[in-house]
Amino acid sequence: VDVVTNLIADFRSRGGVPDREMLGLAGVCWVKMGRLDLVDQSVARMRSNRLFPTHDLYAHLVTAHADDVEYVDAAWDQIRLEAPHTQEIPGEIVCNALMRAYRHTKNIGRSLEVLQEMKNSYGYQPSPTVLRLVLETAILAEARSTAERLVQEIQTAEKAVPSST
């Protein structure tokens, strides 16, 4: 933790201003070290400087808070609110983290709702991996008809992915 903090402090002491990618990477390191307090401080400082967390950082935060439905939904809300400012379109990394969190809480309704919103609002085409996460959520939530539909959607998505041969 000290190494990351000291690197940023040293950068600032030399007149540097950390950008969102640098702070996002630091945040990911802090999340992996379990120092969510440092992440919260960094994110607050970023926002006060009109910077926004990277989607990679959001993905790690969502994963760290997977059992907190309100936190996960608030993170998704923030990503959507910040998208016009960051010019970063929510994609695979965000969707994967959200679908893992919704699987963790067996929330098939929210999983399907967010997936549909990503498709409609951002043109997101879910990967077979993301669709499998939604399928697992449907199975855990005992939503049989949804699971059956997802199996068909996964097969279609797999056919659309170019083979590596």
Side-chain angles (χ1 to χ4, degrees):
V1 173
D2 290 340
V3 173
V4 176
T5 306
N6 290 341
L7 284 171
I8 292 173
D10 184 54
F11 186 74
R12 283 190 175 115
S13 73
R14 296 170 191 257
V17 178
D19 63 7
R20 106 184 247 267
E21 284 74 25
M22 177 186 267
L23 293 171
L25 183 57
V28 168
C29 291
W30 291 325
V31 169
K32 289 183 179 232
M33 292 181 219
R35 292 301 307 270
L36 299 178
D37 58 315
L38 292 175
V39 178
D40 291 341
Q41 291 170 17
S42 179
V43 167
R45 182 182 245 176
M46 287 174 75
R47 287 197 177 114
S48 71
N49 290 319
R50 303 284 304 145
L51 293 174
F52 301 99
T54 62
H55 287 180
D56 190 39
L57 176 54
Y58 272 123
H60 281 84
L61 286 169
V62 163
T63 300
H65 292 281
D67 57 344
D68 185 342
V69 175
E70 289 177 9
Y71 186 96
V72 172
D73 283 343
W76 173 235
D77 289 343
Q78 281 301 127
I79 290 167
R80 290 181 306 172
L81 287 171
E82 294 166 3
H85 304 288
T86 63
Q87 303 299 308
E88 193 174 8
I89 296 171
E92 188 70 14
I93 192 167
V94 169
C95 193
N96 193 303
L98 289 168
M99 294 308 122
R100 286 180 189 283
Y102 295 135
R103 178 188 63 185
H104 182 76
T105 57
K106 301 177 186 175
N107 193 340
I108 188 62
R110 191 71 177 123
S111 182
L112 292 170
E113 183 181 317
V114 168
L115 184 62
Q116 193 61 48
E117 183 177 359
M118 287 189 71
K119 287 178 181 178
N120 294 344
S121 298
Y122 303 105
Y124 174 70
Q125 292 299 313
S127 68
T129 300
V130 163
L131 292 172
R132 281 189 195 92
L133 288 168
V134 179
L135 174 61
E136 290 170 14
T137 306
I139 291 167
L140 290 169
E142 298 179 10
R144 183 182 174 113
S145 63
T146 300
E148 290 169 352
R149 184 181 53 76
L150 284 162
V151 168
Q152 292 174 341
E153 199 170 333
I154 290 168
Q155 292 169 343
T156 302
E158 286 176 334
K159 290 176 187 171
V161 175
S163 66
S164 58
T165 57

